[in-house]
Amino acid sequence: MDGSLAFPVATPPVPGAAIPIAPGILWLRMKLPFALDHINLWLLEDGPGWTAVDTGFALPETRDAWQQIFAAELGGRRIERVIVTHYHPDHIGLAGWLTEHWQAPLWITEKEWLHARMHSQGGNEDSAALRRDFAHRAGLDADAATIFAERQGNYRRGVPSVPASYHRIGEGTAIEIGGREWRVLIGEGHAPEHACLYCAEGGILIAGDQILPKISPNISVQAYEPDGDPLARYLASLTKLRGALPSDILVLPSHNLPFRGVLTRIDELAAHHHARCAEAVVACARPISAAELMPVLFRRRLDRLQTGFALGEALAHLHYLVGQGEIDRVRGDDGVDRFLCKAA
Ligand SMILES: [Zn+2]
């Protein structure tokens, strides 16, 4: 094996249908209303029932697609447990609906549950002004800052409810599913306590968004943690996962296609961020804001949602470089943070 990625099944299922992707595992796909237009979900045979992993964004057509799955793919068995990898709307969106429909418990990490509850209950709604200040500090003009502030108030559109109680999983938790042991491996940086599920016996990793084959998971500084360094956390998680996983496993990611070549992909993702850091260091030869760095790192045209991601991601690279001691952050008289290479 030359280490390059291999995609054993080239054609994904359509919403409402399922493809067996490994013994006891069904691959589902649901629509997303974004440029990234789909998410993969998984159903694991679990004795007399099923365990679902992730749930989809709360669209009417995704509820319909689930109903088709219930009718045609479950073999008359019930969904008895719902595991969610992390709090983002495409993953936890229909968890409230699914757990209620099947009277099934939600299994999730504590931080992901808390984030989902906070955002779904509007616990962050008072922070529109905070988000506008954050965007201003990052160098966006007033119009762009307002768009940024409003965009992030949308969580409940995709997540109408989050179960009021949960069963906690965390680093190293062993979960028996269908007679096989799955271990929880926590990743940070994309979400606060993202659960990946690894079955050594079957050679399978359900990776969530932590490791994706064709795109780089969004790593963003958040307005509610404006000094955060999520890229340091993400890179540390990649190093941990690299040490925990053998090279020949099948990876089931939340976006794109199932693949083999996990260690190669981990190395590619780390190299991608280090290359962006190198570009950022060059750009910091003169004082530069995160908004000014965006077009350096992202050369394609960005829609509104992507602009928000890109701003958070530009900050993530800058904060990482500050943490590594390569650049300094200076607050200007205009309230904008600018970053400057130490050697400059
Ligand atoms: Zn995510």
Side-chain angles (χ1 to χ4, degrees):
M1 186 169 162
D2 64 3
S4 60
L5 303 196
F7 299 89
V9 179
T11 308
V14 296
I19 290 180
I21 187 67
I25 303 180
L26 297 181
W27 173 18
L28 317 181
R29 177 166 277 207
M30 300 295 182
K31 216 182 103 170
L32 295 181
F34 310 116
L36 179 60
D37 63 1
H38 70 274
I39 180 169
N40 301 319
L41 315 174
W42 317 99
L43 277 175
L44 280 51
E45 278 186 28
D46 194 2
W50 296 91
T51 285
V53 180
D54 286 335
T55 68
F57 192 93
L59 299 171
E61 54 262 58
T62 299
R63 285 195 186 87
D64 292 345
W66 267 118
Q67 295 282 7
Q68 290 175 43
I69 301 280
F70 299 164
E73 305 288 356
L74 301 187
R77 292 183 279 167
R78 299 170 44 79
I79 292 177
E80 296 192 333
R81 168 167 51 194
V82 176
I83 301 176
V84 167
T85 57
H86 66 296
Y87 81 96
H88 292 157
D90 43 339
H91 300 261
I92 203 170
L94 285 175
W97 178 77
L98 267 182
T99 55
E100 194 163 311
H101 181 97
W102 292 103
Q103 290 299 299
L106 171 68
W107 288 37
I108 188 171
T109 67
E110 180 183 38
K111 285 183 193 166
E112 300 299 333
W113 182 78
L114 288 170
H115 271 260
R117 287 290 286 185
M118 171 180 76
H119 290 295
S120 70
Q121 306 211 325
N124 223 18
E125 252 175 13
D126 54 354
S127 62
L130 179 145
R131 289 196 294 270
R132 205 174 301 113
D133 289 349
F134 174 79
H136 173 74
R137 193 175 149 187
L140 288 187
D141 64 32
D143 284 352
T146 299
I147 290 168
F148 178 84
E150 287 167 359
R151 178 190 71 79
Q152 297 212 335
N154 265 341
Y155 187 82
R156 275 185 287 189
R157 180 178 152 226
V159 190
S161 70
V162 173
S165 68
Y166 73 106
H167 177 102
R168 189 194 299 193
I169 57 176
E171 179 70 47
T173 301
I175 308 176
E176 197 235 289
I177 304 173
R180 292 195 298 197
E181 183 181 281
W182 293 74
R183 283 262 170 202
V184 176
L185 297 170
I186 297 299
E188 297 183 280
H190 174 72
E193 196 183 5
H194 177 300
C196 302
L197 303 172
Y198 173 48
C199 179
E201 186 189 330
I204 294 170
L205 178 74
I206 295 177
D209 282 349
Q210 195 70 29
I211 304 170
L212 299 173
K214 294 204 168 155
I215 53 177
S216 171
N218 179 253
I219 310 299
S220 274
V221 175
Q222 303 290 338
Y224 54 79
E225 194 193 347
D227 298 323
D229 186 356
L231 183 55
R233 293 174 180 275
Y234 183 69
L235 292 172
S237 293
L238 286 185
T239 300
K240 183 189 78 174
L241 290 168
R242 204 186 193 296
L245 298 170
S247 63
D248 57 349
I249 57 172
L250 178 66
V251 183
L252 305 181
S254 293
H255 308 287
N256 314 126
L257 300 171
F259 70 99
R260 293 186 187 275
V262 67
L263 299 188
T264 298
R265 187 57 188 152
I266 286 173
D267 293 344
E268 286 175 359
L269 287 165
H272 161 83
H273 287 295
H274 288 304
R276 283 202 166 162
C277 284
E279 291 179 320
V281 167
V282 170
C284 291
R286 64 174 181 88
I288 188 172
S289 70
E292 290 167 327
L293 183 63
M294 273 198 293
V296 176
L297 299 186
F298 300 92
R299 291 172 198 93
R300 65 181 193 277
R301 260 189 81 80
L302 304 170
D303 68 21
R304 278 184 183 186
L305 180 66
Q306 290 166 330
T307 300
F309 284 153
L311 185 72
E313 187 121 356
L315 278 166
H317 287 82
L318 291 166
H319 288 188
Y320 177 73
L321 288 166
V322 171
Q324 299 298 306
E326 293 204 38
I327 62 176
D328 287 318
R329 177 171 60 179
V330 183
R331 176 76 49 90
D333 292 338
D334 55 2
V336 174
D337 285 340
R338 292 187 179 78
F339 299 82
L340 180 64
C341 195
K342 284 205 165 155

